[in-house]
Amino acid sequence: MNKEIADLLFPNITTTVEEIEAKYPERNVKEGAIVTRFAPSPTGFMHVGNLYGAFIGSQLARQSDGIFYLRIEDTDDKREVEGAIEAILNALDAFDITYDEGYQKGGAYGPYQQSQRVEIYQAYAKKLISEGKAYPCFMSEEEISEIRQGQELRKEMIGIYGHYAVDRNLSLEEIKEHLDRHDPYVIRMKSPGDAHQEIVLHDLIKGDITLPENVIDEVLLKQNGVPTYHFAHVIDDHLMHTTHVVRGDEWVPSFPKHLQMNQLLGFKPCKYLHIAPLTKKEDGKIRKLSKRKDPEFAVSYYAEAGIPSEAVRLYLATLANSNFEEWYLQNPDKTIEDFTFTYKKMPTGGTLFDMEKLDNICRTYFSRLTAAEVYEKALPYYEKYDAPFAALMNQYKEKLIAFLNIERNSKRPRKDIATYKDIKSESTYLFNELFYQEDSYQQIVGEEIDMDILKQYINCYDVNDTQDEWYQKIQTLAETNGYAPTVKMYKEDAQLYKGHIGDICEAIRHILTGRTKTPNLYELLQIIGIDEFAKRLQFYQEIVGKH
Ligand code: GLU
């Protein structure tokens, strides 16, 4: 009778599961290779948690000579958002997460989009029905919701199981009657579970987790014949020969049903790595990152904020394995691809995603690039978000690179750049087009600046001086004008002097840049030039004159 029910429900499914299995042979990978996947649902929002999972999966496959593939899980058309698949592809591309096979790229284990695999799932459902392991359930939404209310009231487990599963043993005749009336139905599995039994999930990150055995007759195919996530996951990961499922730990409670589906289908379950959620500290409390409250949760945030994707990857690596950061600091010439991630070092609980920490990583990242690399990476950012500055970058390429190079190759390199945005904000005074537009001397107007000494300075400046000669000249200037040539001398008897050498240097810095903090002044003067300094001095005097 089961076979007849199966044929009645799926007259068009003529392909057998044996034929399907034959199309998905064992993978030709070496012993121990990890075959894993990124399996997002195109629901319109790709967050850093998704990216983190994809990152971990891709690294595990990479380091074991395995396979990382992309599967689009689009079985929930109600939640599907237009353009979401594109956003996923763009994010993977932007964060340099490459996959060996998958959606759009193809491969021998496709199609890699679940909506194109519906007949495959139906063939397996048909098989389960013919074996008496699944059945059509004609219960209406009202009936189900009534049952649910009762279960809630009585504090029972929610779902269709035991005596609630009224359609479990319908006769062929009863099913025919329903079908003649065109009653909508779903396909449910017949759970062989026992509520008093427990099962163990041997999670590779979290360790062993004991869970109650599943007893619910889970939906395998929805009314439209499309599978649920659970059923599609089990079948796809079996056919595509996934060895390890890397996914968010919100799926842990679903594991018992996945295990049972595997058992009903006769599949060997994959190994699982459940990733803890990314969290945030706010007002002393820790909470999950939220789509609504935290702009940094969306992967699209980073490009616009000028945060380099490489730095985000470094941060993800830092989160994934607690020993990564130290390794990276000790191995400045190595990349993430030289590191071997281990499950044991992956966090088992909520993982703090801290923007300040990311900021730090960004600074280290930028400090390790050459000036020319910083320039080349920043240019596309400005071309996209600030075309006028991109034009300045092109016009004054050498000048900007020289600026970025100041103190770069020293023992303690500059760390003033954390985002692409900082390149502009830290360098505006290099460009007259920006310098004279801004209220450049805002901070210091009214402060006493010894104009006379700065004018003398212009006359003694020589671009060919070494840094020592340059400094000595300022010291001489200090002495002849009643300033202490060293801070030490000034401190010994401040009354003897108008000020000290530091004050003169600060005055030069103010006039040259309008700022109190800049990289090395000697080098800045070389880049901007004494003639421009003279013009700015005059500009400054005009401003002071107006006040
Ligand atoms: N499509 C599921 C999701 O987006 C994927 C879970 C999994 O990786 O199996 O949450």
Side-chain angles (χ1 to χ4, degrees):
M1 179 181 100
N2 289 329
K3 169 115 193 14
E4 280 178 272
I5 297 175
D7 286 334
L8 191 63
L9 295 172
F10 296 103
N12 299 328
I13 299 294
T14 49
T15 324
T16 65
V17 301
E18 288 73 24
E19 285 164 339
I20 296 171
E21 300 266 331
K23 288 193 195 145
Y24 294 84
E26 281 297 331
R27 285 176 181 273
N28 189 13
V29 288
K30 71 173 203 197
E31 177 84 27
I34 291 180
V35 177
T36 188
R37 77 297 191 279
F38 178 46
S41 302
T43 47
F45 180 71
M46 171 115 169
H47 56 68
V48 282
N50 301 135
L51 190 68
Y52 181 48
F55 173 80
I56 292 177
S58 68
Q59 293 301 320
L60 294 178
R62 185 262 310 153
Q63 70 190 32
S64 65
D65 292 329
I67 303 282
F68 179 63
Y69 68 89
L70 170 67
R71 184 172 71 222
I72 300 294
E73 303 209 322
D74 56 345
T75 56
D76 191 351
D77 53 357
K78 281 194 210 101
R79 287 177 59 222
E80 194 158 331
V81 168
E82 220 185 296
I85 296 184
E86 221 183 339
I88 292 165
L89 299 178
N90 289 343
L92 293 176
D93 186 48
F95 291 91
D96 205 19
I97 294 182
T98 51
Y99 42 96
D100 304 295
E101 58 188 62
Y103 179 79
Q104 267 189 359
K105 196 161 189 174
Y109 293 82
Y112 297 91
Q113 183 173 12
Q114 288 183 331
S115 57
Q116 291 183 17
R117 302 174 60 78
V118 171
E119 285 184 14
I120 297 176
Y121 311 120
Q122 292 187 349
Y124 280 93
K126 185 174 184 181
K127 176 172 184 272
L128 289 179
I129 292 171
S130 69
E131 292 170 350
K133 295 173 181 169
Y135 63 93
C137 170
F138 295 89
M139 294 169 87
S140 66
E141 272 174 38
E142 294 75 44
E143 276 173 275
I144 293 175
S145 105
E146 227 169 82
I147 289 178
R148 186 192 180 94
Q149 284 169 14
Q151 289 169 334
E152 277 170 359
L153 222 69
R154 293 185 295 276
K155 300 210 178 347
E156 291 172 358
M157 188 195 328
I158 307 292
I160 301 305
Y161 56 89
H163 66 277
Y164 296 116
V166 290
D167 285 356
R168 233 182 189 225
N169 296 309
L170 292 181
S171 67
L172 181 62
E173 286 317 308
E174 287 168 314
I175 292 173
K176 272 188 184 154
E177 275 170 34
H178 274 299
L179 292 181
D180 287 345
R181 286 201 303 267
H182 300 288
D183 290 342
Y185 64 91
V186 299
I187 303 295
R188 290 184 186 272
M189 69 176 184
K190 259 185 211 171
S191 171
D194 174 347
H196 304 294
Q197 297 292 323
E198 287 180 328
I199 55 129
V200 180
L201 160 60
H202 301 289
D203 192 272
L204 293 178
I205 297 179
K206 293 175 181 275
D208 283 0
I209 303 173
T210 304
L211 296 155
E213 192 170 63
N214 177 62
V215 294
I216 292 171
D217 284 358
E218 267 315 316
V219 174
L220 304 179
L221 299 181
K222 296 178 271 188
Q223 285 183 352
N224 58 2
V226 172
T228 54
Y229 160 72
H230 312 291
F231 195 49
H233 146 54
V234 169
I235 291 172
D236 286 348
D237 283 318
H238 163 74
L239 289 176
M240 297 178 184
H241 296 275
T242 304
T243 60
H244 293 63
V245 168
V246 180
R247 65 182 180 187
D249 70 1
E250 69 274 18
W251 292 111
V252 166
S254 303
F255 174 75
K257 14 180 131 134
H258 300 161
L259 181 69
Q260 203 165 62
M261 283 181 195
N262 272 298
Q263 286 162 349
L264 289 175
L265 289 160
F267 300 161
K268 177 172 171 257
C270 312
K271 296 194 169 80
Y272 285 87
L273 287 85
H274 284 101
I275 301 178
L278 299 176
T279 59
K280 177 166 179 150
K281 200 171 189 176
E282 196 179 55
D283 305 329
K285 285 195 199 106
I286 306 258
R287 58 163 175 80
K288 279 191 194 178
L289 275 180
S290 122
K291 177 177 173 177
R292 203 165 41 83
K293 294 186 200 152
D294 310 312
E296 72 269 27
F297 196 34
V299 289
S300 52
Y301 168 80
Y302 297 86
E304 207 172 330
I307 297 174
S309 57
E310 294 93 329
V312 176
R313 284 170 58 87
L314 287 169
Y315 189 33
L316 296 180
T318 307
L319 294 175
N321 259 188
S322 48
N323 55 330
F324 176 82
E325 187 175 18
E326 205 184 319
W327 174 87
Y328 181 64
L329 290 173
Q330 283 166 1
N331 295 280
D333 306 327
K334 299 243 158 88
T335 68
I336 294 172
E337 276 61 42
D338 298 310
F339 185 78
T340 304
F341 291 87
T342 44
Y343 311 138
K344 284 214 177 76
K345 294 212 157 70
M346 290 184 187
T348 55
T351 311
L352 204 61
F353 191 83
D354 179 4
M355 291 305 276
E356 261 176 52
K357 179 80 194 168
L358 175 59
D359 180 274
N360 246 305
I361 290 174
C362 287
R363 287 176 199 278
T364 305
Y365 165 76
F366 275 116
S367 76
R368 285 184 177 184
L369 299 177
T370 65
E373 283 168 341
V374 177
Y375 176 92
E376 293 301 338
K377 284 176 187 288
L379 190 57
Y381 171 81
Y382 283 101
E383 278 166 350
K384 184 158 180 199
Y385 295 104
D386 185 346
F389 190 71
L392 287 177
M393 284 181 79
N394 282 315
Q395 195 178 344
Y396 301 107
K397 179 173 177 180
E398 313 265 288
K399 195 174 179 179
L400 181 57
I401 291 179
F403 169 80
L404 293 168
N405 204 36
I406 300 176
E407 293 166 49
R408 181 156 289 273
N409 303 311
S410 63
K411 266 201 201 119
R412 284 183 51 219
R414 264 164 78 182
K415 292 219 169 151
D416 54 347
I417 294 169
T419 71
Y420 292 127
K421 284 186 180 173
D422 294 338
I423 291 166
K424 180 179 179 182
S425 59
E426 290 298 318
S427 71
T428 39
Y429 52 78
L430 287 190
F431 312 101
N432 291 350
E433 291 83 345
L434 301 177
F435 184 81
Y436 288 100
Q437 260 176 34
E438 296 188 334
D439 207 351
S440 303
Y441 293 118
Q442 204 176 16
Q443 299 173 14
I444 55 160
V445 166
E447 233 176 68
E448 257 189 48
I449 287 212
D450 194 332
M451 295 297 165
D452 197 43
I453 212 166
L454 294 181
K455 280 178 195 150
Q456 294 173 48
Y457 179 65
I458 295 169
N459 294 328
C460 70
Y461 180 86
D462 184 345
V463 71
N464 297 313
D465 285 344
T466 63
Q467 184 155 348
D468 283 344
E469 290 164 348
W470 170 84
Y471 194 69
Q472 278 156 20
K473 273 191 183 164
I474 304 176
Q475 283 186 311
T476 312
L477 208 60
E479 272 179 316
T480 51
N481 285 276
Y483 285 77
T486 67
V487 180
K488 189 167 171 261
M489 283 167 74
Y490 180 78
K491 283 195 177 150
E492 275 163 15
D493 197 347
Q495 306 226 334
L496 292 179
Y497 308 101
K498 287 195 226 165
H500 60 72
I501 176 131
D503 300 326
I504 302 174
C505 289
E506 281 322 294
I508 298 172
R509 191 189 309 277
H510 286 333
I511 296 301
L512 189 66
T513 68
R515 308 213 178 168
T516 53
K517 255 179 94 179
T518 71
N520 183 296
L521 184 59
Y522 166 76
E523 292 190 54
L524 274 184
L525 274 161
Q526 298 255 327
I527 294 168
I528 300 173
I530 199 70
D531 292 344
E532 179 55 31
F533 176 79
K535 284 185 196 143
R536 291 185 184 187
L537 184 59
Q538 192 162 0
F539 178 56
Y540 179 80
Q541 280 179 299
E542 284 163 19
I543 295 175
V544 174
K546 284 190 205 138
H547 282 73

